[in-house]
Amino acid sequence: MAKLPIIEFPDPRLRTIAKPVARVDDALRRLIDDMFETMYDAPGIGLAATQVDVHQRLLVLDVSEGNDTPQVFVNPEILASDGSQVYQEGCLSVPGIYADVKRANTITVRALDRHGQPFELSAHGLLAVCILHEIDHLDGRVFVDYLSPLKKALVRKKLAKQRKLAAEDSDAA
């Protein structure tokens, strides 16, 4: 397994719409394992292939307390959604930034698992938020797209400041 570099906002590659996975094979399963390693190391609870510059409809997540319930969604498709909830979201591609986002409270999703087997899942709460957040990445969206123009500008400014400080720290080392 290998850790993969995570693309950070506002990199234009995050706007790429992912293409459907044609085949679930050993190469895809290696990518899945690498994505889990990357996500757990970050640490995060979800990661879309788009975030690691692979533009295929694939996402991994684990919303469990002990990082012991990994889930894989290949070619995920939302079949139904209901209700609404506001959840404070963060993102590995937008490090250190959190904001309230309104999403469906309950969803039904259809996808393939890591072996190419189809399944359907009903999800609510954090799991629904995470699935919707990661599918947004596959559709070329990031959670800051849900923010007002003013909040979006503040996010860009804060990220630029973080990058500048990180560059200064690495230059000093």
Side-chain angles (χ1 to χ4, degrees):
M1 291 197 306
K3 283 193 302 183
L4 306 168
I6 297 173
I7 300 170
E8 292 188 4
F9 179 82
D11 190 308
R13 292 174 292 176
L14 289 171
R15 300 300 182 185
T16 305
I17 297 173
K19 297 191 177 350
V21 171
R23 258 188 16 215
V24 178
D25 56 14
D26 288 343
L28 187 76
R29 281 186 281 278
R30 275 192 301 282
L31 173 60
I32 289 167
D33 292 341
D34 291 346
M35 286 175 62
F36 273 119
E37 182 176 350
T38 303
M39 180 191 78
Y40 287 133
D41 183 68
I45 61 170
L47 187 66
T50 300
Q51 293 175 273
V52 294
D53 204 21
V54 176
H55 303 286
Q56 295 183 40
R57 297 194 68 79
L58 166 66
L59 65 93
V60 300
L61 57 88
D62 187 342
V63 298
S64 68
E65 291 282 327
N67 289 343
D68 57 5
T69 313
Q71 293 178 279
V72 174
F73 296 79
V74 178
N75 297 332
E77 176 186 357
I78 301 298
L79 301 177
S81 63
D82 188 44
S84 69
Q85 63 178 321
V86 175
Y87 209 91
Q88 188 170 73
E89 295 185 25
C91 180
L92 297 177
S93 291
V94 192
I97 306 295
Y98 300 89
D100 288 342
V101 177
K102 184 177 180 181
R103 296 193 187 268
N105 186 52
T106 304
I107 62 167
T108 302
V109 62
R110 176 174 46 214
L112 303 176
D113 67 14
R114 71 179 288 126
H115 303 291
Q117 297 302 307
F119 70 94
E120 285 186 17
L121 175 75
S122 290
H124 66 279
L126 178 60
L127 180 57
V129 166
C130 191
I131 292 168
L132 292 169
H133 176 111
E134 301 309 333
I135 287 176
D136 270 357
H137 280 298
L138 302 178
D139 294 335
R141 289 190 300 265
V142 291
F143 85 98
V144 296
D145 295 343
Y146 293 92
L147 306 179
S148 70
L150 175 63
K151 286 185 179 176
K152 227 184 277 193
L154 290 171
V155 166
R156 285 179 189 271
K157 192 173 180 179
K158 185 173 181 179
L159 288 172
K161 185 177 180 180
Q162 286 176 1
R163 287 188 188 105
K164 182 180 176 192
L165 291 171
E168 289 171 1
D169 287 347
S170 68
D171 288 345

